[in-house]
Amino acid sequence: MITKIKELLTEVESFHSSNPDEIENFRIKLLSKKGLVTALFADFKLVPNEDKKLVGQMLNELKDKALNKVNELKAALEVASHGKGGMDLTLPGYPDELGTRHPISIVKNEIIDIFARLGFTISEGPEIEDDWHVFTALNFPPEHPARDMQDTFFIQKNPDILLRTHTSSVQIREMEHSKPPIRTISPGRVFRNEAISARAHCIFHQIEGLYIDENVSFADLKQTLLYFAHEMFGEKTKIRLRPSYFPFTEPSAEMDVSCNLCGGKGCNVCKYTGWLEVLGCGMVDPSVLENTGIDSKKYTGFAFGMGVERITMLKYGVKDLRLYFENDVRFLRQFQSAY
Ligand code: PHE
């Protein structure tokens, strides 16, 4: 038996092949149920007791070596076949893909850039606000429906602490802390208690603008917004102002731009009117100036506010607001820009 084991050990050690069939036959010959090594294990019971220790060790060594040999040869085979087959190890790796900015960030940066050219600075404020900065200082009467639970998210049932519903709150803070001339825009997230649909979301982004100085007039507002419309939607864009109402501006207006998709002829985006509603604006109500310690006899100002999602929808023809929040890369990858 010892001679047989030694013979097989030499055979295992000297065996070499890069042919998968030969390797498999070698495995079957030695290690399968009817293989030579298996048969030797079966004969082990016939070995006289005094030889059992030595023969046992030799048998185990033979089995381990045979197994290792088969595994080594198979592994070598796999590496070799990759080189020839599907995978070419000399090819360069996949390049890292560069991400793109979110469309809301692109448009927000573009709007900021346009107003920066007119000398507007950027101001930011807290998303969790108090009633004074969101409503009271802005002339909202106590019974105003915006304060209603249905429109505003309150924190911990305390009606004085809430998520801001617009970034006009930042402008109040700005007026409280600095002296005119003030020329600033406040971009940021705002929150309203609305059911989520293609046209509405409970979280969205606003950019509000404020300009306060001596002799600021409605003509200044109009010219500023016309400049913005041209820069944002193209030189041919027309604007129109419709009378409106906000508690903090007087007079107030809504601005429409001519539909850039159909050139004003009428299409399903502008609902065949040729016009798209883009923002609210007006002259800052003197009592808002007084609320923040600014002399309303000396100073006047204008303000405006727009939704970044809305502008993005109009600029890129996005039909469903929810796409902005789903972050599906197939959607996000479509927006390339200098911003
Ligand atoms: N704060 C208003 C809103 O959220 C927008 C607005 C800002 C209107 C400034 C007029 C002047 O709808």
Side-chain angles (χ1 to χ4, degrees):
M1 186 146 179
I2 291 179
T3 340
K4 182 79 188 154
I5 295 173
K6 281 188 175 156
E7 265 175 39
L8 285 177
L9 261 175
T10 339
E11 192 180 334
V12 167
E13 271 157 15
S14 61
F15 178 74
H16 193 82
S17 170
S18 54
N19 177 323
D21 293 338
E22 271 177 34
I23 298 170
E24 181 58 9
N25 287 338
F26 175 76
R27 187 191 68 78
I28 292 170
K29 178 177 155 198
L30 294 174
L31 296 164
S32 70
K33 265 190 193 161
K34 290 185 181 150
L36 295 172
V37 178
T38 323
L40 285 174
F41 269 99
D43 291 344
F44 184 67
K45 55 180 182 292
L46 309 175
V47 175
N49 276 349
E50 64 270 27
D51 294 339
K52 270 207 160 91
K53 192 173 173 206
L54 176 68
V55 175
Q57 274 171 1
M58 288 178 81
L59 261 179
N60 281 332
E61 187 191 341
L62 172 65
K63 190 183 166 194
D64 287 348
K65 285 200 167 159
L67 257 177
N68 285 344
K69 185 64 143 215
V70 170
N71 289 341
E72 264 168 38
L73 291 175
K74 279 190 177 167
L77 210 61
E78 225 161 85
V79 172
S81 80
H82 272 316
K84 281 187 226 132
M87 199 201 287
D88 181 350
L89 296 174
T90 63
L91 280 177
Y94 289 110
D96 280 342
E97 268 193 69
L98 267 186
T100 53
R101 274 196 206 288
H102 194 284
I104 296 298
S105 300
I106 294 175
V107 171
K108 183 189 82 179
N109 292 343
E110 195 173 346
I111 298 171
I112 289 174
D113 211 52
I114 294 171
F115 285 104
R117 294 200 282 274
L118 294 175
F120 283 79
T121 57
I122 299 175
S123 47
E124 287 181 324
E127 293 180 349
I128 301 175
E129 264 293 5
D130 52 32
D131 181 277
W132 169 258
H133 290 93
V134 177
F135 296 128
T136 303
L138 286 152
N139 260 355
F140 282 82
E143 69 285 358
H144 196 283
R147 280 201 182 84
D148 205 306
M149 286 297 275
Q150 272 137 35
D151 280 320
T152 302
F153 289 115
F154 294 93
I155 310 268
Q156 292 174 345
K157 292 190 181 142
N158 180 346
D160 193 40
I161 304 180
L162 45 97
L163 295 179
R164 65 183 179 194
T165 57
H166 52 186
T167 55
S168 302
S169 52
V170 182
Q171 314 198 320
I172 294 295
R173 287 180 180 276
E174 202 61 25
M175 288 192 269
E176 285 173 338
H177 293 117
S178 43
K179 289 191 168 50
I182 298 172
R183 196 165 16 173
T184 189
I185 51 171
S186 20
R189 270 199 305 190
V190 299
F191 308 85
R192 292 186 195 176
N193 193 359
E194 305 223 27
I196 296 170
S197 73
R199 314 211 113 244
H201 208 287
C202 55
I203 303 175
F204 58 100
H205 299 77
Q206 270 193 336
I207 296 191
E208 298 216 352
L210 175 73
Y211 180 29
I212 298 174
D213 202 349
E214 292 178 36
N215 299 320
V216 176
S217 73
F218 201 92
D220 297 320
L221 169 63
K222 204 173 156 185
Q223 196 56 36
T224 304
L225 295 180
L226 181 65
Y227 175 77
F228 164 71
H230 283 168
E231 293 293 299
M232 193 72 205
F233 298 107
E235 275 303 313
K236 294 207 177 81
T237 309
K238 296 190 191 70
I239 63 167
R240 79 175 179 189
L241 292 165
R242 285 178 289 106
S244 184
Y245 174 78
F246 298 101
F248 37 90
T249 46
E250 182 59 36
S252 306
E254 306 252 359
M255 182 177 93
D256 297 342
V257 294
S258 53
C259 178
N260 57 342
L261 296 172
C262 63
K265 286 189 198 76
C267 66
N268 64 352
V269 176
C270 62
K271 300 203 195 83
Y272 301 95
T273 62
W275 294 98
L276 301 162
E277 195 183 311
V278 293
L279 56 80
C281 59
M283 300 306 291
V284 181
D285 193 305
S287 59
V288 174
L289 296 177
E290 295 296 335
N291 284 343
T292 54
I294 293 176
D295 183 354
S296 65
K297 299 222 172 45
K298 190 169 177 203
Y299 295 107
T300 52
F302 67 69
F304 57 86
M306 63 187 101
V308 184
E309 277 78 0
R310 170 122 186 107
I311 306 279
T312 313
M313 273 180 135
L314 300 177
K315 192 159 164 110
Y316 291 109
V318 178
K319 298 240 165 60
D320 193 323
L321 262 181
R322 288 167 292 196
L323 288 166
Y324 297 130
F325 292 88
E326 282 164 5
N327 283 338
D328 184 332
V329 283
R330 290 167 300 181
F331 170 71
L332 297 179
R333 225 185 253 143
Q334 300 173 79
F335 303 89
Q336 301 278 357
S337 141
Y339 292 93

